[in-house]
C-alpha cells in the first residue's frame, strides 16, 4: 500500500495496534480519540495465543509480560469468607491467563510505541463522513474537516463511528448481564488471588490484584436490558448501591467505593453482530465490529489479531476493497467460533437462590479438586457431540433445580 492517509477512530487496543502495523507499511495514520487523554481504566484483560505472537513481532512482548498483574489464580469465596475452590494461574482450568495485564497499562504501552509516528488527536470525535469514491471527507466534533483515503472504526462496542458508516446495520445483542468495573483501595484482606463471590439474586463480586497496589473490582448481575448505561451517573450509583444491598461479603466496601468513584465503567454486556465489516473506504475492527463480550475471554485478543490481519492485507495490495474483503474472509470463521459462548453462559455462574450458590461453589470445589479425575471419566472417550449433550443435561438439571426450588 502506497502511503495512504488513514484515519482510525478510537485510541483502543485495536486502533493503536492497527496504527502500529500500518505505519510499518508506510502509510500516514491519524488516530482520533473521544476522551481528552488515553483511558487508563478497566480491569484485567488477557492476551492469548496468536495475539501474543503479534506483540512478539511488534517487539513489545517483554514489556507486556513485565506489566503482568501477578495474579496467582482465582478462588471461589462463600458468604462465610471461606475459600471453596482454587484455580491456580498455571492449572488446566485456568481463568487467569499467562499474560494478564490491566487494560490501561496495555493502552499506555501501545501509545508509547506509536506516539512518535502516528498523529494522535485527543478530545474529539467524528461527526460526519462523506465517502465520495476518491477520498473521505471527515468532519470532527470541533467543526474541523480533513480528507483521508480510508477511515477505520475501532471505537468499541457502542461505536458511533460504526453508525456513521453503516447506519444501524449491526445488531447489538445484549446477553443478559450488566457489569461495573472500578479501581478500589487495597485492604489487608486482598491477596494476589482473584476472588470470586456469588451472592443470591444472581449477583457476582470479583476482586483482582493489580501491580500498582490497588484492587480491581467488578460487580455483575443478571437483568433484562434496562439501558442502565444511559442513566445519569448519580442515578447509576444509587441503583448499583441498592443492587449490592444484602449481598454480603465485600458488598459494603464496594458500595462505598462506587459512591466515591467518578470513573467506573458500567455497561450491559453485548455482542456485536455485523453483516459486513467494510463498505467503500470504511472498515471496522475490534469490539466495534465483532465484540465477543468479556465472557468469551477473547475480546482483546480478537481486537489485536483483527488489527494485525487488516494491516497485513492492506500492505499486500493497492486495492483497498480487495484487502477489506480478504480481511473479513480470513477473520470471520474465527470470530464466529469465539462468539458462540459456552452453553448456559452467563446465568450458570450467576445463580439466583441460596441453593444455586451452594451448588455452584460445591461444583467449583469438585472441579478444582481431584474429584475432577472422576468426573472426567464420564466424558473420556466420548465424542464432542456426546460431551455437549452431557454438559447440556447438567445445565438443564441445575436450571430446573434453580427455578423450581
Ligand atoms: C474504559 C474501558 C474499560 C474497559 N474495561 C474492561 C475490563 O475491565 N475487562 C474487559 O474484559 N474489557 C474491558 N473493556 C473492553 C476491552 O477493552 C475490549 O473488549 C477489548 O480490549 C477490545 O477493545 P477495542 O480495542 O476494540 O476497543 P475499546 O477497548 O472498547 O476502546 C474503544 C476506544 O474508543 C474510544 N471511543 C469511543 N467512542 C469514540 C468515538 N466516537 N470517537 C473516538 N473514540 C471513541 C473510547 O474512549 C476507547 O478509548 C473496557 C473498555 C473500555 C473503553
Amino acid at each position: 500500500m502506497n502511503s495512504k492517509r488513514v484515519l482510525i477512530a478510537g485510541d483502543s487496543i485495536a486502533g493503536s495496534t492497527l496504527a502500529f502495523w500500518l505505519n510499518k507499511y508506510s502509510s500516514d495514520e491519524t488516530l482520533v480519540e473521544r476522551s481528552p487523554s488515553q483511558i487508563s481504566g478497566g480491569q484485567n484483560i488477557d492476551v492469548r495465543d496468536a495475539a501474543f505472537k503479534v506483540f512478539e513481532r511488534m517487539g513489545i512482548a517483554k514489556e507486556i509480560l513485565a506489566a503482568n498483574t501477578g495474579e496467582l489464580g482465582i478462588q471461589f469465596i462463600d458468604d462465610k469468607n471461606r475459600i471453596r475452590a482454587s484455580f491456580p494461574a498455571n492449572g488446566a482450568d485456568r481463568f487467569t491467563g499467562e499474560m494478564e495485564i490491566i487494560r490501561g497499562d496495555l493502552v499506555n504501552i501501545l501509545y508509547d510505541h506509536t506516539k512518535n509516528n502516528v498523529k494522535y488527536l485527543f478530545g474529539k470525535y467524528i461527526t460526519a463522513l462523506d465517502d465520495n469514491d476518491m477520498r473521505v471527507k471527515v468532519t470532527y466534533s470541533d467543526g474541523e474537516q480533513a480528507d483521508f483515503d480510508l477511515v477505520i472504526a475501532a471505537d468499541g462496542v457502542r461505536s458511533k463511528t460504526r453508525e456513521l458508516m453503516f447506519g444501524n446495520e449491526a445488531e447489538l445483542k445484549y446477553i443478559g448481564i450488566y457489569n461495573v468495573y472500578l479501581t478500589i483501595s487495597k485492604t489487608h484482606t486482598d491477596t494476589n488471588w482473584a476472588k470470586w463471590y456469588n451472592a443470591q439474586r444472581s449477583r457476582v463480586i470479583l476482586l483482582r490484584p493489580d501491580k500498582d497496589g490497588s484492587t480491581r473490582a467488578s460487580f455483575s448481575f443478571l437483568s433484562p436490558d434496562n439501558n442502565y448505561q444511559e442513566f445519569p451517573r448519580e442515578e447509576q450509583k444509587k441503583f448499583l448501591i441498592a443492587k449490592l444491598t444484602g449481598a454480603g461479603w465485600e458488598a459494603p466496601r464496594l458500595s462505598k467505593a462506587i459512591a466515591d468513584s467518578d470513573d467506573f465503567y458500567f455497561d450491559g454486556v453485548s455482542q456485536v453482530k455485523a453483516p459486513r465489516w467494510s463498505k467503500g473506504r470504511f472498515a471496522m475492527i475490534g469490539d466495534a465490529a465483532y465484540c465477543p463480550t468479556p465472557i468469551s475471554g477473547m475480546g482483546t485478543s480478537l481486537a489485536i489479531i483483527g488489527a494485525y490481519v487488516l494491516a497485513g492485507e492492506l500492505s499486500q495490495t493497492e486495492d483497498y476493497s480487495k484487502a477489506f474483503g480478504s480481511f473479513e474472509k480470513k477473520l470471520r470463521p474465527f470470530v464466529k467460533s469465539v462468539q458462540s459462548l459456552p452453553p448456559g453462559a452467563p446465568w450458570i455462574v450467576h445463580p439466583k437462590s441460596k441453593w444455586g450458590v451452594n451448588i455452584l461453589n460445591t461444583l467449583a470445589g469438585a472441579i478444582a479438586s481431584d474429584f475432577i479425575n472422576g468426573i472426567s471419566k464420564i466424558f473420556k472417550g466420548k465424542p464432542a457431540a456426546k460431551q455437549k449433550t452431557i454438559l447440556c443435561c447438567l445445565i438443564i438439571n441445575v436450571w430446573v433445580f434453580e427455578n423450581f426450588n
Side-chain angles (χ1 to χ4, degrees):
M1 181 175 68
N2 266 335
S3 200
K4 283 206 166 35
R5 288 156 305 161
V6 183
L7 176 66
I8 302 165
D11 173 26
S12 55
I13 288 138
S16 41
T17 306
L18 179 68
F20 178 98
W21 282 104
L22 286 179
N23 193 263
K24 274 219 173 309
Y25 304 134
S26 85
S27 60
D28 167 7
E29 304 78 33
T30 302
L31 206 151
V32 59
E33 162 61 44
R34 186 182 53 183
S35 104
S37 60
Q38 298 107 283
I39 301 186
S40 57
Q43 237 204 10
N44 313 46
I45 48 177
D46 73 57
V47 178
R48 289 174 193 248
D49 313 324
F52 193 69
K53 292 239 161 4
V54 173
F55 284 161
E56 279 176 339
R57 286 181 193 172
M58 290 165 77
I60 60 172
K62 278 197 182 133
E63 259 175 277
I64 309 275
L65 287 173
N68 196 292
T69 59
E71 187 172 286
L72 298 174
I74 187 166
Q75 295 177 325
F76 278 66
I77 309 293
D78 71 11
D79 56 354
K80 298 197 172 55
N81 203 20
R82 292 176 303 203
I83 298 168
R84 298 291 299 268
S86 293
F87 296 93
N90 55 3
D93 313 286
R94 69 190 160 97
F95 164 90
T96 303
E98 270 169 80
M99 287 137 296
E100 203 79 32
I101 185 170
I102 297 299
R103 181 191 177 277
D105 291 344
L106 181 53
V107 169
N108 288 335
I109 292 173
L110 290 168
Y111 176 70
D112 283 345
H113 286 271
T114 44
K115 66 182 178 200
N116 293 333
N117 302 318
V118 172
K119 183 176 173 196
Y120 274 85
L121 304 173
F122 285 106
K124 58 190 203 173
Y125 51 91
I126 304 168
T127 52
L129 289 169
D130 178 19
D131 176 356
N132 66 12
D133 265 3
M134 300 300 289
R135 68 184 75 85
V136 183
K137 184 165 275 311
V138 172
T139 309
Y140 296 111
S141 48
D142 58 5
E144 206 186 306
Q145 291 193 318
D147 288 346
F148 291 91
D149 295 307
L150 304 173
V151 181
I152 315 291
D155 50 342
V157 61
R158 295 192 187 272
S159 169
K160 291 279 180 259
T161 314
R162 178 183 63 218
E163 278 173 36
L164 293 174
M165 293 172 169
F166 300 92
N168 54 11
E169 238 180 59
E171 185 199 354
L172 260 188
K173 195 175 161 219
Y174 173 66
I175 65 158
I177 174 182
Y178 276 88
N179 221 332
V180 57
Y181 298 112
L182 72 161
T183 305
I184 62 174
S185 305
K186 188 172 178 169
T187 65
H188 69 281
T189 51
D190 297 336
T191 65
N192 275 347
W193 284 84
K195 292 187 179 180
W196 175 291
Y197 170 76
N198 276 92
Q200 288 172 53
R201 296 188 10 232
S202 307
R203 295 170 290 178
V204 171
I205 296 174
L206 177 61
L207 301 183
R208 307 183 73 176
D210 66 18
K211 63 172 192 10
D212 305 318
S214 321
T215 292
R216 304 286 168 145
S218 73
F219 171 51
S220 60
F221 54 89
L222 297 186
S223 161
D225 188 0
N226 289 329
N227 236 11
Y228 295 126
Q229 69 278 353
E230 302 295 338
F231 285 19
R233 218 31 160 185
E234 286 310 309
E235 268 184 55
Q236 288 183 346
K237 286 187 181 185
K238 274 192 208 146
F239 169 76
L240 287 166
I241 291 165
K243 194 84 193 165
L244 276 161
T245 303
W249 195 52
E250 299 270 11
R253 177 178 162 207
L254 201 53
S255 296
K256 179 156 186 340
I258 289 172
D260 296 342
S261 169
D262 286 329
D263 71 342
F264 55 81
Y265 177 76
F266 179 36
D267 205 352
V269 178
S270 305
Q271 292 191 327
V272 174
K273 305 263 187 173
R276 55 178 169 168
W277 298 337
S278 67
K279 174 182 159 190
R281 291 174 178 269
F282 304 144
M284 54 184 179
I285 52 169
D287 278 2
Y290 42 72
C291 176
T293 78
I295 288 175
S296 71
M298 284 296 287
T300 301
S301 298
L302 265 190
I304 297 161
I305 294 164
Y308 178 71
V309 174
L310 177 59
E313 294 304 325
L314 283 168
S315 75
Q316 302 291 310
T317 171
E318 286 304 307
D319 182 349
Y320 60 85
S321 62
K322 196 170 156 209
F324 287 165
S326 34
F327 153 69
E328 184 161 345
K329 198 167 165 211
K330 284 188 178 153
L331 206 67
R332 258 225 197 255
F334 185 42
V335 165
K336 195 172 171 215
S337 71
V338 171
Q339 282 193 331
S340 65
L341 298 176
W347 64 262
I348 192 80
V349 286
H350 287 79
K352 262 197 305 202
S353 64
K354 194 173 174 184
W355 287 104
V357 171
N358 265 329
I359 289 172
L360 184 80
N361 284 335
T362 308
L363 263 176
I367 292 167
S369 76
D370 278 348
F371 181 66
I372 190 59
N373 291 332
I375 293 278
S376 68
K377 284 195 187 124
I378 301 175
F379 290 96
K380 211 170 178 181
K382 303 255 190 314
K386 221 168 194 176
Q387 291 187 13
K388 263 195 181 157
T389 314
I390 296 171
L391 193 60
C392 286
C393 289
L394 274 173
I395 288 167
I396 289 164
N397 277 325
V398 174
W399 186 84
V400 169
F401 196 77
E402 267 272 275
N403 286 278
F404 297 100
N405 268 286

